[in-house]
Amino acid sequence: ASKIQEIDAEGDKQVKAVQDAGSTVSSDIKAGKTALQSKLTELIAQLDAEGGTEAAYVKQQAQDILDQITTSESNAKTYAENAAASASSASTSASSATNSIETAKSAAISAISDQQTSSVSAVSDQGDASIAAVQSAQTTATDAITTAQTTAVSAVESQATAAANSASAASASETNAKTSETNAASSATAAASSASTASAKATAAASSASAAAASETKAASSATAAASSATSAALTLANTVRVDTSQSFTDAQKLQGQKNLGLIEAIDSLITAYGGTVPSD
């Protein structure tokens, strides 16, 4: 009886542990998956807006992580179902062991009762001869009890072994479920890290684009200034008297050049010095 109670208690304990573990794993995985899907959706939208080969690569990584978490969730669910089935099998095995013992006890009691009835009847009818019959009946009853006890013990041991195996399978399933939960948490952490890296790269790309635009504007300004300087230099060079090649000037330019060099004043002075009259302009 105590062995039966131990088997029943262990079976109930395993069933409760598996049910609690399955509930916890399902709840944690569901919450983790919901949060991760939200983050991945935001990341993918941001990467689509950014565009480019690097953004597409990070986007594919995010999708791979989401696929891994979906697979982990499916595995965890399968492990939880297997654990529940194993726990149910353990409970059924314990119940079968109880029934087997009760059946063996009933059979033994019935055999003893039958033999006792036969022994009393034989004593009454046969006297001394019945003593041998009683002894034989008692021996038969003892053998029957021994056989019944042996059968019952064997049945209990078999059922106990089956219950232990079922409990072990339930424990293994629970361990697998916890492993899947850990994998899901790791995938969520990796996804968050990828999202942070992608955001940093997007910010760097935006800064680079802004710097490129500023450089382009500065280059355009420099080109305009250079063109203006070239035009001014060309005009200045065209109006400069050179000694290494011939130049063509207008009459007004020649006159202005002579005035600038003081030639007109020198000629006027010579004319005046020799008594001449300086012509008017």
Side-chain angles (χ1 to χ4, degrees):
S2 61
K3 189 66 175 180
I4 295 172
Q5 291 177 352
E6 290 178 2
I7 293 173
D8 287 340
E10 183 64 22
D12 292 340
K13 180 180 178 181
Q14 292 296 332
V15 170
K16 185 176 184 305
V18 171
Q19 290 176 343
D20 291 343
S23 177
T24 300
V25 171
S26 297
S27 177
D28 291 346
I29 289 177
K30 183 177 180 180
K33 179 184 175 184
T34 299
L36 183 58
Q37 283 179 330
S38 177
K39 290 181 180 178
L40 290 176
T41 300
E42 293 176 0
L43 175 60
I44 290 173
Q46 181 179 1
L47 293 174
D48 284 337
E50 291 295 337
T53 303
E54 185 176 7
Y57 175 74
V58 177
K59 176 181 176 182
Q60 183 60 47
Q61 286 185 326
Q63 186 62 49
D64 291 343
I65 292 171
L66 182 59
D67 292 341
Q68 291 176 0
I69 290 179
T70 300
T71 300
S72 296
E73 179 188 17
S74 177
N75 290 339
K77 183 177 180 181
T78 299
Y79 291 144
E81 291 175 352
N82 290 340
S86 297
S88 177
S89 176
S91 179
T92 300
S93 297
S95 177
S96 297
T98 301
N99 292 334
S100 296
I101 292 173
E102 291 298 331
T103 299
K105 286 172 63 179
S106 296
I109 291 171
S110 178
I112 292 172
S113 178
D114 291 342
Q115 294 299 332
Q116 286 177 343
T117 300
S118 298
S119 296
V120 171
S121 177
V123 169
S124 298
D125 295 338
Q126 300 295 331
D128 293 338
S130 295
I131 294 177
V134 169
Q135 291 177 343
S136 176
Q138 288 178 340
T139 300
T140 301
T142 300
D143 292 341
I145 291 172
T146 300
T147 300
Q149 288 178 340
T150 301
T151 301
V153 170
S154 178
V156 169
E157 290 178 348
S158 297
Q159 296 299 332
T161 300
N165 291 336
S166 296
S168 177
S171 178
S173 296
E174 180 182 359
T175 299
N176 289 333
K178 290 182 178 179
T179 300
S180 295
E181 179 184 1
T182 300
N183 291 338
S186 298
S187 297
T189 300
S193 177
S194 295
S196 177
T197 301
S199 178
K201 289 181 179 179
T203 300
S207 298
S208 297
S210 177
S215 297
E216 183 178 356
T217 301
K218 185 176 181 180
S221 297
S222 297
T224 301
S228 177
S229 297
T231 301
S232 178
L235 292 174
T236 300
L237 182 62
N239 294 325
T240 300
V241 178
R242 301 176 60 179
V243 296
D244 60 341
T245 184
S246 60
Q247 290 178 285
S248 297
F249 295 102
T250 63
D251 291 339
Q253 289 175 333
K254 291 177 181 179
L255 178 60
Q256 185 63 49
Q258 292 173 357
K259 289 181 178 181
N260 291 343
L261 294 172
L263 296 178
I264 298 299
E265 293 179 358
I267 292 173
D268 289 344
S269 297
L270 289 174
I271 292 173
T272 301
Y274 286 99
T277 301
V278 177
S280 63
D281 293 339

